[in-house]
Amino acid sequence: MTSENPHFSEMHASDGVRQPYAHYASWFSDQNRKRLAKKAGQAEAFFRRAGITFNVYGANDAEERLIPFDLVPRIVSNREWSKISRGIDQRVRAINAFLYDIYHRQEILRAGIVPVELIAKNDAFLPQMMDFKPPGGVYTHIVGTDIVRTGEDDFFVLEDNARTPSGVSYMLENRETMLQMFPELFSKIKVQQVSDYPKNLRRSLAASAPDSCTDRPCVVVLTPGIHNSAYYEHSFLADQMGVELVEGHDLRVVDGHIAMRTTRGYKVIDVLYRRVDDDFLDPLTFNPSSMLGVPGIMDVYRAGNITIANAPGTGVADDKAIYSYMPDIVEFYTGERAILKNVETHRCSEPQTLKYVLENLADLVVKEVHGSGGYGMLVGPAASKSELSDFAAKLKARPSNYIAQPTLSLSTVPIFTKSGLAPRHVDLRPFAQVSPEGVVITPGGLTRVALKAGSLVVNSSQGGGTKDTWVLED
Amino acid sequence: MLGKTAGGLYWMFRSLERAENTTRLIEAGFRIALTRSTDAEAEWKSVIVTSAAQAAFEAKYNSYDSLRVTNFLLRDADNPGSVFSAVKSARDNARLVRTALTWEVWTAVNETWMLLCNILRKPVKETELPEVLAAIRQQSALVRGALTGTMLRMDTYHFCKIGIHVERADNTARIVDVKYHALLPASSVVGGRLDNVQWETLLRSVSAHRAFRWAVEEDFTAPAIASFLILDQRMPRSLSFCLAEIVASLGYLADSYGEKLASHSLADKLRARLDNRDISSIFEEGLHEFLGSVIRDNGNLGLQIEQDYRFNI
């Protein structure tokens, strides 16, 4: 299966099973296939019963769907993980330094490393954040870094999600499901825990409380509501942290603080983990028609009376156009070379590059600069002729809205199918928590897997599935 | 606790209680339709009237045949009081207050909703009706069992209990009001004997036909049945019982929050109207008038609770 397959297989090398998978493979070969198929059915029923679903926008009646779960874990050795986590740590620190700089002296622009217009024309840049230092100096408290692998030692960052990354609940529930289904595996194979995530999140959010907070910080999660696609995750995190899950209409400004309406009156909040976009955060400052946020919260924020995680304006760092400068950004702020590589990225805003992209469209992946979740992108090799020409027209109309990347030869991990194991492409989204006390990265992350043979699209909104991710103890 | 959460818990359990009560009403109607050769239409109509859905039903249909009535009450999405609508609303509220529920309560209500989506996907035939009704009752008991078995006895729990009993008091009062009059023959003197089928429907609507025989030594007379459903403290669906539960839960909130609010005195007053009463004095007051004022005051109590505990504002 490896000889004719050009993609790096994480489980099978040409000379047999790769080392991190050795124990698992021997366990697997002893398993009865029917029993495993039954387990897969049980896992689905468990997810359904627990309501671990996401809403699909645009689908009929806000349909709730399950993200398919595959029972073969993705296994990463401790050595591999230590490189990934050092790389993420470095990158996350650089992103926070970059954000501080962009909203203060803008030295990176003066140095000519990042072009001024990239910031000036960036919708995610918030002038309201200029010269303001968020409590504890942290801008992005929770980061999800999308990583792909193309070879034994080749890890690339595909995207930095520094605004409100989703998927933590799946990372945790996938592990919980595996523990319930295959407890015997975990006594054989030592896997690093992910279950500390909510506890660590609570701690790092509390550590980011504003100086005005003298008591035990009151932390809450802000959700747009039950119709949001990630509502399950919002309620899950609030529940796991033991904090209130609030909506905008539960909050208001009381005596210069943000307070929530409780059965006993208004109670002051110190840290708001918001899962609402910048635009909807404060109708007085941003989108005036928004009902999701809290009128006046930006004034409270600027007065230093609440911590907003992640800080407004953070999106200026995870833009796909900024992405192409990340290696330089990392070097500028850390003085070190980036540990994790970037994927070669063509900026369509540059005329020569646009020409190249149009000529090679069938071999490239083209993405909207501000797009997310696999929407509005073109996967050249998988596209029909008419799709290619339609996309070319969009590109010509708004070149600066797009970047293009070569189609990477993503690694594969087998999934469990009726006819046995079959290789599928995967990516990985580990999660980092940042507070004034430092960066904590949970060992593992969310592995997303394409379910169709050969497909490179792993997004859940596009029919991808997930796997448990194991980082081995050494 | 957030006001919104308190409201979500309260409405979650009100909706579930409503779904269960509607199921019981259908069961009673079905029973009559099966056992009585004449006047099944009138019985189905009184079922619709009791569930306060007459206008909505008549806007759609012009005759009360059993399939229409049962499916309207079970699965019609246009009927906000249908079992399906009520369970959907309960489940939406449960999602909203997911962080205030134990895993057991949440999965029980989520499973109930999944089961209903399945069994109510197509119109329910007469042959399937007993099975469907039994399944709904059983699920409802499962959720309540998870509530009593797993939830901490704190404010969250008591908002659930208040929702259950406010809804149940409303339901029992309506059933007695509508059915008692519908069933009482015009010529009969209050206190006269009722025929078997009549008292049975009334008691069956609240699943109390066996309980009555065990609990009450008297014969099946109108005052005995009315007294049982209104005043008997042992009967978990009686008005007295519901009010005692509401007062107890509000009392818990008063103690733990350290404040007595307007809803507490409303509940005390309403309860006082039931305490130490005997049924003959209620008949003197006029049963219909008495029940009408209980329904109204119970409704106002609900609204006052919403205000006192800041469900919405």
Side-chain angles (χ1 to χ4, degrees), chain A residues 49 64 231 250 261 263, chain B residues 1 4 95 110-111 257:
Chain A
R49 203 164 72 93
E64 290 170 33
Y231 178 78
D250 297 314
R261 189 185 75 246
T263 51
Chain B
M1 177 180 22
K4 174 188 71 186
R95 279 188 84 203
N110 193 39
E111 273 183 337
Y257 290 5

Side-chain angles (χ1 to χ4, degrees), chain A residues 84-358:
Chain A
I84 295 171
S85 65
R86 276 187 298 117
I88 292 173
D89 184 280
Q90 179 195 48
R91 212 163 159 111
V92 164
R93 282 186 288 113
I95 287 173
N96 270 299
F98 172 68
L99 283 162
Y100 185 87
D101 186 28
I102 284 302
Y103 287 116
H104 289 85
R105 293 179 48 84
Q106 304 193 326
E107 277 163 8
I108 198 163
L109 303 184
R110 295 170 205 227
I113 290 171
V114 171
V116 175
E117 66 269 18
L118 214 55
I119 303 299
K121 286 185 186 162
N122 197 318
D123 291 340
F125 175 78
L126 297 182
Q128 294 87 347
M129 290 293 288
M130 277 308 286
D131 301 318
F132 169 69
K133 183 176 176 236
V138 180
Y139 285 84
T140 175
H141 302 74
I142 299 103
V143 186
T145 311
D146 288 350
I147 292 174
V148 294
R149 183 176 198 178
T150 60
E152 186 67 52
D153 285 310
D154 302 315
F155 296 95
F156 292 87
V157 173
L158 206 53
E159 212 170 300
D160 301 283
N161 298 284
R163 306 180 205 198
T164 52
S166 290
V168 167
S169 55
Y170 291 93
M171 168 179 84
L172 297 169
E173 295 285 24
N174 287 353
R175 175 64 54 83
E176 204 51 46
T177 307
M178 289 296 277
L179 280 165
Q180 283 190 24
M181 289 197 302
F182 308 112
E184 76 276 17
L185 257 176
F186 289 87
S187 55
K188 268 202 199 85
I189 305 174
K190 290 300 161 206
V191 180
Q192 296 190 35
Q193 283 202 26
V194 292
S195 57
D196 284 344
Y197 183 91
K199 198 177 70 194
N200 291 339
L201 179 61
R202 165 96 190 231
R203 185 184 300 153
S204 79
L205 287 173
S208 306
D211 294 337
S212 66
C213 167
T214 48
D215 214 351
R216 186 168 185 247
C218 174
V219 177
V220 304
V221 177
L222 175 68
T223 176
I226 63 169
H227 300 298
N228 185 269
S229 69
Y231 178 78
Y232 173 75
E233 172 144 314
H234 306 160
S235 67
F236 176 87
L237 282 174
D239 189 36
Q240 296 278 311
M241 284 195 284
V243 305
E244 295 286 2
L245 178 67
V246 303
E247 291 175 48
H249 58 81
D250 297 314
L251 306 179
R252 68 154 72 144
V253 178
V254 177
D255 299 333
H257 290 267
I258 296 296
M260 58 180 164
R261 189 185 75 246
T262 77
T263 51
R264 310 172 69 173
Y266 277 87
K267 184 180 177 207
V268 168
I269 290 168
D270 301 299
V271 182
L272 185 73
Y273 176 23
R274 53 85 176 232
R275 298 294 298 254
V276 167
D277 291 342
D278 286 356
D279 236 14
F280 304 109
L281 203 50
D282 185 347
L284 298 183
T285 305
F286 307 116
N287 182 349
S289 65
S290 167
M291 303 295 286
L292 301 176
V294 192
I297 191 174
M298 283 303 287
D299 290 339
V300 174
Y301 185 52
R302 289 190 55 91
N305 286 337
I306 191 167
T307 297
I308 300 177
N310 294 338
T314 298
V316 75
D318 70 1
D319 196 285
K320 290 189 182 74
I322 290 289
Y323 166 85
S324 61
Y325 296 93
M326 274 308 288
D328 303 323
I329 291 173
V330 170
E331 261 191 77
F332 187 77
Y333 295 107
T334 66
E336 305 156 8
R337 299 210 51 179
I339 297 167
L340 295 171
K341 290 177 247 185
N342 253 31
V343 181
E344 183 192 1
T345 301
H346 310 286
R347 302 167 193 136
C348 302
S349 54
E350 298 162 7
Q352 273 306 311
T353 313
L354 177 65
K355 187 163 171 278
Y356 168 84
V357 170
L358 287 169

Side-chain angles (χ1 to χ4, degrees), chain B residues 144-203:
Chain B
R144 234 182 1 253
L147 173 74
T148 41
T150 65
M151 295 267 288
L152 285 174
R153 295 308 194 259
M154 47 187 246
D155 48 2
T156 42
Y157 175 77
H158 288 284
F159 281 111
C160 300
K161 295 266 290 181
I162 293 169
I164 292 174
H165 291 102
V166 167
E167 180 65 28
R168 191 180 286 177
D170 177 77
N171 185 257
T172 298
R174 277 176 202 283
I175 287 176
V176 177
D177 190 32
V178 173
K179 297 194 87 89
Y180 188 88
H181 282 272
L183 291 170
L184 199 62
S187 58
S188 123
V189 186
V190 168
R193 273 181 71 92
L194 300 168
D195 84 47
N196 268 4
V197 181
Q198 284 175 343
W199 64 257
E200 204 178 321
T201 18
L202 183 51
L203 290 170

